[in-house]
């Protein structure tokens, strides 16, 4: 079992950097020297046979790190070409450049050809850049991306916003990104996932005291943390102890969605699962999954008897936005039973400006999030951290903002970043499975935040495991169901 990784925003990273310099007796270049040496060690670990290196250095201290790396490579007998956009703009970068030149290094202008490099190092722009690259900088990045050599980015791929995970324009596509001192929150979500490659951390041998009193801005949850959420059950356990999930949805043509939610709830350990859906879907539900208790609901009156039996309600899969779904949601919002609110239930919330209770969990994708916040989807994706925080404030409950690098916000907790899942999961019905998984864990006694984190992490890990079998393309939501069960029963030695 592993704990989540602490993630930080740019402002906090600046504070940590200042503390790091203080820990080096106030010698800022000593810290830069450690960063450049750590970068060289990363090259030796991952590309030991790379003899021809091109290091692209920017004008700031990120470029200084690149000059230090280039000097180490040169002194080790490698062929090194440093390409720059302009002269160094900081004293530290100038010091690093001068040391490289004194060692016999040559600096070329940024419009020089990259040549036949075995490895390209991106040391152009660091964590402070949040605008789109333009002109010669953009052209150099495009040349780097077009080159066949692997790319190591120092601290952050140039062009990626380290705070938000957004790439406002062209950005380096790295094979590996080496972060310094602490992990950047923005590299774990959104567009950054297509640019950062494998992530690595160099702590620069700083003492633990540097981090004293510095709380993480977010936490990165990986699949190896799953066992902590799934303790062994008592031998005398029974179905009543494991919760009854009621899944409500499935207007005309949407019966499959609500059934997948109920199946996921059962595979994640719910003691009982019921479905409230249109009468036309009941035979199909029972034929596919006889363990599900199916109720024909043609109106609010049909729903009321089933509500009292549920420990958790999952509403939204296949619900639709017509009068049938609107009426059922209005009744459910009047109950005190904890809810997982998904899909069209969220669109109805947005249209009616309804809120939820503290014990509820909302699971919007970016489009639904945009409707809830009254913005467009691009605005949500430009700053997913701000969006999930705004959703939590708007709805008053835990919020799971789905997508690449799913984010979870709850009052009083650091934002959780789910480091699991793959592009094959971008298909209709995956969210229905997630809603059922989260509802099952909530029904088994997890807090709203823990149920959201564990459910999203389990869902993403199941998607990864299913994709390993036969690939990402063509992955179906139902392919996750057996893996949900397997991963919810971690082996203990």
């Amino acid at each position: 079992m592993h704990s989540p990784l602490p993630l930080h925003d740019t402002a906090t990273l600046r504070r940590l950097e200042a503390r790091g310099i203080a820990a080096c007796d106030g010698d800022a270049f000593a810290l830069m020297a450690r960063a450049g040496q750590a970068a060289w060690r990363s090259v030796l670990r991952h590309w030991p046979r790379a003899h021809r290196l091109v290091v692209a250095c920017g004008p700031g201290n990120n470029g200084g790190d690149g000059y230090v790396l280039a000097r180490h490579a040169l002194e080790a007998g490698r062929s090194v070409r440093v390409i720059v956009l302009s002269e160094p703009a900081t004293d530290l970068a100038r010091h690093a450049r001068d040391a490289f030149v004194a060692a016999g290094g040559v600096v070329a202008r940024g419009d020089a050809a990259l040549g036949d490099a075995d490895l390209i190092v991106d040391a152009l722009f660091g964590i402070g850049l949040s605008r789109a690259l333009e002109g010669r900088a953009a052209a150099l990045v495009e040349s780097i991306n077009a080159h066949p050599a692997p790319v190591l980015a120092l601290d952050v791929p140039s062009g990626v916003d380290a705070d938000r995970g957004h790439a406002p324009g062209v950005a380096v596509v790295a094979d590996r990104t080496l972060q310094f001192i602490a992990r950047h929150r923005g590299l774990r979500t959104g567009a950054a996932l297509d640019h950062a490659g494998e992530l690595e951390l160099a702590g620069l041998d700083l003492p633990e005291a540097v981090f004293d009193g510095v709380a993480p801005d977010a936490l990165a949850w990986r699949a190896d943390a799953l066992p902590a959420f799934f303790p062994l059950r008592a031998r005398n356990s029974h179905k009543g102890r494991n919760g009854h999930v009621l899944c409500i949805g499935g207007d005309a043509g949407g019966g499959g969605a609500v059934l997948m939610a109920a199946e996921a709830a059962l595979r994640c350990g719910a003691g009982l699962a019921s479905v409230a859906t249109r009468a036309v879907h009941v035979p199909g539900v029972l034929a596919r999954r006889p363990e599900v208790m199916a109720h024909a609901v043609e109106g609010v009156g049909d729903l009321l008897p089933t509500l009292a039996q549920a420990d958790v309600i999952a509403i939204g899969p296949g619900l639709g936005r017509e009068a049938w779904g609107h009426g059922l949601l209005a009744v459910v919002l009047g109950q005190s039973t904890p809810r997982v609110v998904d899909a069209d239930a969220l669109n109805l919330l947005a249209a009616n400006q309804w809120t939820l209770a503290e014990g509820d969990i909302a699971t919007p994708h970016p489009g639904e999030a945009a409707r809830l916040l009254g913005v467009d989807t691009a605005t949500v994706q430009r700053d997913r951290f701000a969006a999930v925080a705004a959703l939590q404030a708007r709805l008053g409950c835990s919020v799971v903002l789905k997508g690449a690098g799913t984010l979870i916000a709850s009052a009083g907790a650091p934002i959780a970043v789910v480091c699991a899942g793959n592009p094959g999961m971008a298909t209709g019905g995956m969210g229905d499975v997630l809603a059922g998984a989260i509802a099952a864990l909530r029904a088994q006694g997890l807090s709203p935040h823990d149920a959201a984190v564990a459910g999203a992490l389990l869902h993403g890990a199941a998607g990864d495991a299913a994709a390993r079998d036969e690939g990402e393309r063509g992955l179906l939501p139902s392919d996750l169901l057996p893996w949900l069960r397997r991963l919810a029963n971690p082996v203990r030695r």
Side-chain angles (χ1 to χ4, degrees), residues 191-486:
L193 296 177
D194 285 322
H195 293 271
E198 295 295 320
L199 295 176
E200 186 178 357
L201 175 67
L204 306 187
D205 298 321
L206 295 176
E208 287 296 321
V210 166
F211 297 89
D212 286 350
V214 179
D217 184 64
L219 295 173
W221 289 90
R222 299 163 295 168
D224 53 20
L226 278 173
F229 294 105
F230 296 98
L232 291 172
R233 286 182 171 176
R235 296 294 296 171
N236 67 341
S237 184
H238 57 80
K239 62 187 178 185
R241 287 188 178 180
N242 299 315
H244 184 168
V245 175
L246 171 61
C247 300
I248 302 174
D251 200 353
V258 74
L259 173 58
M260 284 191 289
E263 286 191 279
L266 289 172
R267 290 301 187 187
C268 292
L272 295 165
S274 295
V275 163
T277 187
R278 288 283 196 182
V280 68
H281 297 137
V282 170
V285 169
L286 296 177
R288 158 120 181 161
R289 184 56 59 201
E291 296 89 347
V292 171
M293 295 174 285
H295 304 275
V297 173
E298 296 300 327
V300 169
D302 298 328
L303 179 64
L304 294 175
T306 67
L307 292 175
Q309 302 171 22
D311 297 305
V312 174
I313 297 169
I315 185 167
L319 185 70
R321 306 187 205 182
E322 303 304 323
W324 183 80
H326 186 285
L328 298 186
L329 179 59
V331 169
V332 167
L333 292 178
Q335 308 297 307
S336 60
T337 308
R339 295 165 288 245
V340 176
V341 183
D342 183 46
D344 273 331
L346 294 168
N347 292 320
L348 289 168
L349 280 181
N352 292 278
Q353 291 297 303
W354 289 330
T355 58
L356 298 172
E358 185 178 356
D360 293 336
I361 302 166
T363 59
H365 60 52
E368 293 156 351
R371 286 186 280 277
L372 285 162
L373 295 175
V375 299
D376 59 19
T377 303
T379 298
V380 170
Q381 293 295 77
R382 271 196 297 272
D383 191 344
R384 286 170 55 80
F385 286 94
V388 76
L391 287 164
Q392 196 283 321
R394 151 81 170 86
L395 295 174
C397 66
S398 294
V399 175
V400 179
L401 177 57
K402 297 182 288 194
T406 290
L407 303 181
I408 298 148
S410 302
I415 291 173
V417 185
V418 176
C419 300
N422 62 80
M425 299 173 72
T427 185
M430 285 291 178
D432 305 320
V433 172
L434 175 61
I438 292 174
L441 300 180
R442 186 80 173 96
Q444 291 170 77
L446 272 67
S447 70
H449 184 73
D450 285 354
V453 172
L457 187 58
L458 177 63
H459 180 258
D464 290 339
R468 282 194 294 270
D469 282 353
E470 298 182 32
E472 295 176 0
R473 188 172 280 108
L475 184 66
L476 298 179
S478 55
D479 294 335
L480 273 62
L481 296 173
W483 284 105
L484 292 175
R485 181 186 178 192
R486 293 172 196 172

Side-chain angles (χ1 to χ4, degrees), residues 40 43 47-53 78 118-119:
W40 172 237
V43 171
W47 298 280
R49 297 182 180 179
H51 182 75
R52 297 164 298 189
L53 277 69
R78 308 297 171 96
D118 300 319
L119 176 68

